[in-house]
Amino acid sequence: MHGPASSGWLLVALCAVTGAYCLARTRSGAEGQRSAAGGEALMGFGMAAMAVPAAVFTPPAWAWTVYATVFGAAGVHALWAARAGAHHLHHLVGAVAMVYMSVAMAGSPGHAHGPGGSGVPLLTGALLLYFAGYALLTGVRLVPVAAVAGGAGPAGWGDRPELARACRLSMAIAMVAMLLTL
């Protein structure tokens, strides 16, 4: 995306670490955690790949079509999975945002991460509002509450809901950063 290389590398690191944790969550004992974690891992790694500074690597023109296709398929999967739970609608919005950014980058001059508005301002604004609101809501949900006495015992790394929320929060913040630079 656009912007200084140092912030781009920080965004790459944040998204890659988040994707790696989500990938580790796919080994969770809870079925709901596993199914959501796979889509979130794909999103994290995809965002990391898109955030690599253009000064280091400018993807070939066909890469944006591949991104749009992969995240279009992820969006269809999220739409299908939304029948079972509303959380998948967030995955659908994330996939739509990734397709949108891929199409916008493919349409930018020279297919590079050059400066200039390459997206549709109304859609960019709507996605910014959604992800900023999601980040705020998720951040509020991370505020510690009193522990329930007699809990089920220590959970594994993949079964800790606060870490899953922190993962979603970091991806929402990264999405806001990417949309701002579009």
Side-chain angles (χ1 to χ4, degrees), residues 10 25 31 34 39-40 48 58 61 63 78 85 93-95 103 106 117-118 162 170:
L10 288 172
R25 281 183 35 229
E31 176 61 32
R34 285 194 308 264
E40 291 166 357
T58 301
V93 174
V103 169
S118 55
E162 72 275 10
S170 65

Side-chain angles (χ1 to χ4, degrees), residues 49 57-58 102 117-118 141 143 173 176:
F57 175 72
T58 301
S102 299
S118 55
R141 289 181 179 166
V143 173
I173 292 169
V176 168

Side-chain angles (χ1 to χ4, degrees), residues 22 25-39 158-159:
C22 291
R25 281 183 35 229
T26 60
R27 298 181 52 153
S28 170
E31 176 61 32
Q33 285 280 350
R34 285 194 308 264
S35 65
D159 297 325

Side-chain angles (χ1 to χ4, degrees), residues 5 9 52-59 113:
W9 284 118
V52 171
V56 175
F57 175 72
T58 301
H113 306 285

Side-chain angles (χ1 to χ4, degrees), residues 2 11 23 25 29 42 66 74 88 97 112 116 155 164:
H2 312 119
L11 192 58
L23 194 59
R25 281 183 35 229
L42 175 67
V66 171
H88 293 285

Side-chain angles (χ1 to χ4, degrees), residues 99-122:
V99 169
Y100 168 65
M101 287 189 294
S102 299
V103 169
M105 294 309 291
S108 68
H111 304 289
H113 306 285
S118 55
V120 179
L122 184 61

Side-chain angles (χ1 to χ4, degrees), residues 43 71-80 82 86-99 127 130-131:
M43 187 69 64
F71 286 103
V76 169
H77 180 267
L79 183 61
W80 182 258
H87 173 70
H88 293 285
L89 291 175
H90 172 68
H91 291 165
L92 175 63
V93 174
V96 166
M98 292 295 284
V99 169
L127 289 169
Y130 173 80
F131 284 106

Side-chain angles (χ1 to χ4, degrees), residues 150-178:
W157 281 101
D159 297 325
R160 297 183 59 177
E162 72 275 10
L163 290 178
R165 283 190 193 115
C167 176
R168 292 180 192 119
L169 174 64
S170 65
M171 283 198 293
I173 292 169
M175 188 66 80
V176 168
M178 290 175 75

